């Protein structure tokens, strides 16, 4: 019969740490020096992004300056700004915590945003907040010239309803009625 | 106290062999896995980079050829590749006319690379993590370069893929690592478990019941079985030695007690009788004297035997001429033979020289000849010979005595063993003579053989190996 004591667990923990350490990989450095194509194509842009207002009852806009890499679309920059949350103290974050952007692509005026499962799972779930979250994304992206409609995907798949109330299985157009 | 005991148990566990083997095994396993994962990620990264580059090249060429066939540079619609790739159309002046991200239209691209492309060359280059392909757009009619397709791919997106892959690897490690570690532990624990039984057995070895019944049993011939066998063998040797020592002490006591008892009886008889004549006194004193001589012989033989037990370090080898040695011995024991009317004959003896301890070899041969005289019949004979066989020298002492039954052969050379106890003691023997002979011969790396027929006589043959040096001397 094997009896597990704290020493056993400490030993197991050591082994685990070693195992986890073994999985590490280095990251490569990014872009090139100034005066290059990378330098030419990188740029700072100012965009209008929608967050929750202070009492979380409507959307409030915020001007954000974002740095885009040489191959990064402005839509990706907007989504990053949404995920990062507001700068202004009276605004509240609209995207559920731990949400990751998997892909953002624009084609023929439609923007497809692919988000991780946490976007759906970690949402608080009231009807108003559902709508505010979705239209914060749609309205923010539609502020750019190239985007008219937005399709939201979860882990690469279309879903019928975001949480319980709002259908998101189709292209969504901006709705400014949620903006205060 | 209880806490301290628990802590001690914890430390004992950490110091245990199976835990240490477990840690070593798992560490080696983890290092191996880390190296494997690291190498896999490096290979995967380089192959993905190659794949991304070739995809970018293909797209750039495809766009350039399609634009050439349409003879237009108006649109980039339908050329979305992925979120880390950007497509630019540049006119012959180096001005960006189309941008898949619609951010840099109208801007001038750096001149250096552009000049080469306008010469008609396809150029690819890497700027940090950015891979760029420039493909010229040629007018099929005029064969002139009308513009350039630039495809840029940011390979830092691979880091994101690697991060995702790493997360999956960690998850896999957690899913499979814990059961694997538990399996390792179980295998090692079960492998080491028999050792615990052996330790228990050895700890309680002094208790005969435990020694017998708690003896670990092993079905396979593994290292544990070897340990148990070795312990068993050592125990058997120890018990035999212990028994032999007890027997020896008992024999010595018995052998010394017999003459002492005789002396006591003789002295008491003299003391209790009054007016004993001088002749009787003398006779009794002679008997006492002979018993003392016998005790003295026993003690001397015992001391000789003890010295011989010390092994080869008591040996003092030198070249010995066997013929001369036997002649000297026979001359020395001749009075004893004459006394018993027994003839001593040296039958055949080659002139052989061997490397031996002369004193000890003399003692051994003398003992054999004295025995042959002592246990011979009246007017019998003792024949001594030495011959050289293939790889050994045989020295034989043959008598015409009563002979020895074969049942005694096994114990004949044991200390204090006597074939005919009553007669032997009367003959004044210590019971150690043949033991001394055997010990001396084994110190010479030889052996002693016995052949006997009851009623006809016995032959003791000393077989000594021939060494090359002595062979050389002879030649």
């Amino acid at each position: 019969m094997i009896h597990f004591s704290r020493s056993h667990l400490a030993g197991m923990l050591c082994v685990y740490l070693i195992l986890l350490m073994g999985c590490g990989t280095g990251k490569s450095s990014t872009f090139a020096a100034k005066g290059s194509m990378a330098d030419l194509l990188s740029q700072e842009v100012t965009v209008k992004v929608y967050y929750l207002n202070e009492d979380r009852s409507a959307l409030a806009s915020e001007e954000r300056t974002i740095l885009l890499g040489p191959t990064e679309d402005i839509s990706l920059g907007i989504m990053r700004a949404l995920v990062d949350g507001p700068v202004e103290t009276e605004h509240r974050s609209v995207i559920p915590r731990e949400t990751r952007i998997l892909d953002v692509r624009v084609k023929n005026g439609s923007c497809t945003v692919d988000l991780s499962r946490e976007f759906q799972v970690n949402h608080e779930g009231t009807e108003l907040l559902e709508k505010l979250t979705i239209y914060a994304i749609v309205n923010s992206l539609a502020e750019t010239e190239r985007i008219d409609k937005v399709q939201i995907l979860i882990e690469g798949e279309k879903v019928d309803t975001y949480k319980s109330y709002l259908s998101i299985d189709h292209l969504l157009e901006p709705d400014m009625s949620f903006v205060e | 106290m209880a806490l301290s005991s628990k802590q001690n148990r914890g430390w004992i566990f950490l110091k245990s062999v199976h835990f240490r083997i477990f840690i070593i095994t798992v560490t080696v396993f983890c290092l191996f896995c880390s190296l494997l994962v690291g190498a896999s990620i490096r290979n995967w990264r380089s192959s993905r980079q190659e794949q991304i580059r070739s995809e970018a090249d293909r797209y750039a060429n495809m766009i350039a050829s399609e634009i050439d066939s349409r003879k237009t540079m108006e649109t980039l619609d339908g050329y979305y590749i992925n979120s880390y790739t950007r497509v630019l159309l540049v006119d012959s002046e180096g001005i960006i006319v189309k941008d898949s991200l619609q951010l840099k239209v109208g801007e001038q691209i750096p001149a250096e690379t552009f000049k080469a492309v306008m010469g008609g060359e396809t150029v690819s280059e890497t700027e940090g993590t950015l891979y760029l392909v420039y493909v010229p757009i040629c007018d099929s009619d005029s064969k002139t370069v009308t513009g350039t397709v630039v495809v840029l791919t940011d390979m830092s997106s691979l880091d994101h893929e690697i991060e995702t892959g790493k997360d999956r690897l960690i998850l896999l490690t957690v899913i499979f690592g814990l059961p694997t570690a538990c399996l390792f532990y179980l295998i090692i624990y079960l492998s080491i478990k028999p050792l615990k039984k052996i330790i228990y057995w050895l700890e309680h070895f002094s208790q005969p019941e435990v020694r017998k019944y708690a003896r670990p049993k092993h079905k396979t011939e593994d290292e544990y079985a070897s340990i148990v066998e070795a312990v068993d063998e050592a125990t058997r040797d120890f018990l035999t030695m212990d028994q032999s020592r007890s027997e020896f002490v008992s024999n010595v006591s018995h052998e010394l007690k017999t003459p002492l008892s005789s002396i006591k009886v003789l002295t008491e008889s003299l003391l209790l009788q009054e007016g004993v004549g001088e002749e009787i006194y003398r006779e009794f004193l002679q008997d006492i004297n002979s018993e003392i001589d016998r005790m003295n012989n026993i003690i001397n033989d015992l001391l000789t035997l003890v010295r011989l037990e010390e092994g080869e370090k008591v040996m003092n080898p030198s070249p010995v001429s066997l013929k001369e040695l036997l002649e000297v011995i026979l001359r020395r024991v001749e009075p004893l033979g004459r006394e018993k009317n027994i003839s001593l004959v040296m039958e055949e003896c080659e002139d052989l020289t061997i490397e031996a301890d002369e004193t000890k070899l003399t003692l051994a041969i003398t003992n054999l000849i004295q025995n042959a005289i002592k246990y011979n019949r009246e007017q019998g004979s003792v024949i001594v010979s030495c011959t050289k066989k293939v790889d050994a020298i045989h020295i034989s002492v043959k008598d015409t005595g009563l002979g020895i039954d074969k049942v005694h052969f096994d114990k004949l050379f044991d200390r204090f063993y006597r074939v005919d106890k009553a007669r032997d003691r009367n003959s004044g023997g210590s019971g150690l003579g043949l033991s001394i002979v055997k010990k001396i011969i084994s110190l010479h790396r030889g052996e002693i053989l016995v052949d006997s027929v009851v009623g006809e006589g016995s032959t003791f043959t000393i077989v000594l190996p021939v060494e090359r040096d002595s062979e050389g001397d002879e030649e």
Side-chain angles (χ1 to χ4, degrees), chain A residues 49 51 62 64 79-88 91-95:
Chain A
V49 185
Y51 298 103
E62 186 174 309
R64 293 286 296 271
M79 283 309 299
R80 273 205 203 123
L82 278 166
V83 169
D84 290 346
V87 174
E88 291 176 23
H91 293 161
R92 301 285 173 266
S93 186
V94 72
I95 303 293

Side-chain angles (χ1 to χ4, degrees), chain B residues 119-139:
Chain B
E121 284 179 46
T122 296
V123 176
S124 58
E125 61 183 23
T126 304
E127 289 181 13
T129 58
L130 202 63
Y131 178 70
L132 300 104
V133 194
Y134 300 81
V135 178
I137 304 165
C138 295
D139 185 277

